[in-house]
Amino acid sequence: RYYKVFFKGAVKLPLKSKFNVNAGYASARSDTDLLTSYVQSGVVNPVTLTQSDFDGETKTQNYSFVLTSNPLRFLDGKIFYSYYTRNNKNDSVFHSAPGNEHINLLFDYRKNVAGIDLGFRLPANLYLSPGYKYVKTDRRAGTEPPEGAEDAAVQLQLPIPDTKDNIYSVDLRWTGLDLMAVKAGYERLDR
């Protein structure tokens, strides 16, 4: 079962400016019965699980705001911010067999992005566009592991790093011919 609600809108402002908003929320749910055995070489082997069914649910939210402006003939710009979050509320199921333990570790994350892009119209059909973007991503383990699986979860879980990125970019585009445009760019990421 999946549903999504969203809103998109824009408002024109003075100085050839425009403010855009995009917001959304989505939810996905599923459930199923899990297998309690498997067949190998004609032999039925039981599977030990912490539960016999699975209930899954993920929820996502996103918001973005963009202000664009073209106050002068040779200059345009964009300031933006976006937020995205994903919450994983799935069941965590632990499977135990001699020499084979498995747990579905859950994963959530939240991402914030803010930045600015400028555009300069230069002589000889050149367009220069420098930009800066800051990206902060928070990652985290979801729910607690099921009872009896704490030790296996610690053994299987990898560290989940949070990151902060500063991204610098510059592009140069030439549109001197009708049949083609040429673009060169450079981007640097500092994490």
Side-chain angles (χ1 to χ4, degrees):
R1 295 175 297 281
Y2 174 81
Y3 71 87
K4 177 179 180 178
V5 292
F6 63 91
F7 170 81
K8 291 184 180 185
V11 176
K12 288 188 178 180
L13 301 172
L15 298 173
K16 296 181 185 174
S17 300
K18 190 176 183 182
F19 182 69
N20 292 294
V21 176
N22 184 358
Y25 174 83
S27 175
R29 298 202 58 166
S30 65
D31 55 75
T32 188
D33 292 329
L34 300 173
L35 296 175
T36 56
S37 64
Y38 65 95
V39 177
Q40 183 178 21
S41 300
V43 178
V44 176
N45 299 291
V47 175
T48 304
L49 301 171
T50 52
Q51 61 191 65
S52 61
D53 63 344
F54 173 80
D55 290 319
E57 180 179 22
T58 57
K59 295 182 178 182
T60 58
Q61 295 177 33
N62 67 290
Y63 311 100
S64 66
F65 307 96
V66 180
L67 175 64
T68 56
S69 184
N70 183 211
L72 303 170
R73 185 189 65 75
F74 64 89
L75 172 68
D76 57 64
K78 175 172 77 169
I79 298 173
F80 56 91
Y81 170 77
S82 66
Y83 171 82
Y84 178 88
T85 184
R86 179 182 186 272
N87 294 314
N88 187 345
K89 302 193 176 295
N90 291 334
D91 285 346
S92 187
V93 181
F94 178 60
H95 159 255
S96 178
N100 184 13
E101 294 182 335
H102 178 75
I103 186 170
N104 62 318
L105 297 173
L106 306 182
F107 178 74
D108 296 338
Y109 72 97
R110 181 175 52 238
K111 188 173 188 178
N112 289 280
V113 179
I116 183 168
D117 290 322
L118 297 174
F120 299 95
R121 286 176 182 78
L122 304 174
N125 296 311
L126 292 171
Y127 182 78
L128 179 69
S129 55
Y132 168 75
K133 184 166 39 173
Y134 175 76
V135 181
K136 182 175 187 279
T137 307
D138 300 316
R139 300 168 182 89
R140 59 195 181 279
T143 60
E144 293 295 317
E147 188 175 322
E150 294 86 357
D151 292 339
V154 170
Q155 292 172 5
L156 295 170
Q157 191 167 6
L158 298 173
I160 303 174
D162 293 340
T163 55
K164 295 177 183 176
D165 301 329
N166 291 290
I167 303 170
Y168 306 91
S169 63
V170 63
D171 291 333
L172 183 63
R173 187 176 71 223
W174 178 73
T175 54
L177 297 174
D178 290 338
L179 61 107
M180 74 171 181
V182 178
K183 182 177 178 181
Y186 173 78
E187 182 175 275
R188 175 190 170 111
L189 181 145
D190 290 330
R191 177 165 286 174

